[in-house]
Amino acid sequence: MKQPVFALIDCNNFFVSCMRVFRPDLKDRPVVALSSNDGCVVARSNEAKALGIPMGAPVFKWRQFFKSNNVMQFSGNFELYGDMSRRIVGICTSITPHTEVYSVDESFLDLSELNISNLTTWGQEVKKRIMQWTGIPVSIGIAGSKTLAKLASERAKKDNKHRGVLDLYSLNKKERRPFLDETPIKDVWGIGWRLTPKLQAEQLFTASHVADLLPRY
């Protein structure tokens, strides 16, 4: 029986990226996408994040800040987001029918039955294909579990040296360890802020501490 291997395709700043497909002049500018009633921020470009704009920022409190810092604002266009999401899912299912749509901007691909000689090269090719066909940048994390694939995609998104793709599956346990050591327990998929205090009280502070309790990691 083949070992499980998953890839998480995660769209970068998805709602903002959808707008930039049709407004290339927005590249490198701070942009925020708003909720359906324009009440709060639901997506931010990297430039907007660098300005310190938090997710969920109430627009009425930040209106002057947006104006002073030339932050572009767009009302939610959920029809557009849904259409772009379906296009990306279509690409994923053309790669493997074993695709699980986790959210509008994330899909897990089960690669167990595919004959892939180099997972990083494969990931870069998929990333390039999605960009060429949709204009949406993605990050790809590859690992032996969905939790680790999620961790890998987040690291691939934040650390430019990975060029948007991080393969943890091909690493041995010792090589994976630094990535787990550097991931706070609050950032582990499925834990979040609610469970974090309880786990920290049990002296569990990083993804490594959780992994040590689960031998298959």
Side-chain angles (χ1 to χ4, degrees):
M1 183 176 179
K2 292 187 176 181
Q3 293 293 318
V5 52
F6 298 96
L8 176 63
I9 311 295
D10 185 2
C11 301
N12 300 342
N13 308 323
F14 182 55
F15 294 170
V16 169
S17 294
C18 287
M19 301 306 302
R20 281 176 165 171
V21 170
F22 300 97
R23 288 283 306 275
D25 59 298
L26 298 176
K27 183 179 179 182
D28 299 325
R29 296 182 61 184
V31 181
V32 295
L34 307 180
S35 56
S36 55
N37 63 356
D38 289 352
C40 66
V41 172
V42 295
R44 305 156 295 161
S45 68
N46 289 336
E47 296 79 11
K49 293 176 184 178
L51 289 173
I53 301 170
M55 183 68 82
V59 173
F60 78 95
K61 288 186 177 181
W62 286 78
R63 188 170 286 115
Q64 185 57 49
F65 182 90
F66 292 162
K67 183 177 180 180
S68 300
N69 291 274
N70 297 314
V71 178
M72 296 295 295
Q73 308 166 59
F74 289 95
S75 299
N77 187 338
F78 294 94
E79 184 176 350
L80 170 63
Y81 306 152
D83 178 66
M84 297 300 284
S85 178
R86 287 188 290 272
R87 295 186 190 189
I88 294 170
V89 170
I91 297 172
C92 292
T93 54
S94 72
I95 297 170
T96 173
H98 302 295
T99 296
E100 175 190 348
V101 180
Y102 179 66
S103 67
V104 70
D105 61 347
E106 295 176 291
S107 291
F108 286 102
L109 278 62
D110 184 343
L111 309 182
S112 304
E113 301 301 321
L114 301 184
N115 185 20
I116 302 173
S117 58
N118 186 302
L119 288 167
T120 298
T121 299
W122 172 88
Q124 291 293 347
E125 291 173 351
V126 172
K127 184 175 181 289
K128 182 179 178 181
R129 187 188 311 176
I130 292 174
M131 174 58 81
Q132 288 178 334
W133 293 6
T134 70
I136 301 295
V138 301
S139 298
I140 301 177
I142 305 168
S145 72
K146 293 178 181 178
T147 299
L148 285 178
K150 178 73 170 175
L151 184 155
S153 73
E154 290 297 323
R155 179 58 64 88
K157 184 182 299 185
K158 295 175 181 177
D159 193 336
N160 291 333
K161 73 180 181 181
H162 300 300
R163 297 174 51 237
V165 177
L166 176 56
D167 167 27
L168 293 182
Y169 180 82
S170 301
L171 304 181
N172 59 40
K173 189 173 181 179
K174 183 178 180 180
E175 292 169 328
R176 281 196 300 269
R177 185 79 187 193
F179 294 99
L180 303 181
D181 287 341
E182 296 167 7
T183 302
I185 197 166
K186 67 180 179 62
D187 293 338
V188 176
W189 184 45
I191 291 180
W193 64 272
R194 290 183 182 274
L195 290 177
T196 294
K198 295 180 181 179
L199 295 175
Q200 289 178 335
E202 298 295 329
Q203 303 302 302
L204 302 174
F205 299 105
T206 69
S208 291
H209 295 150
V210 177
D212 289 340
L213 302 176
L214 304 169
R216 68 190 183 91
Y217 281 34

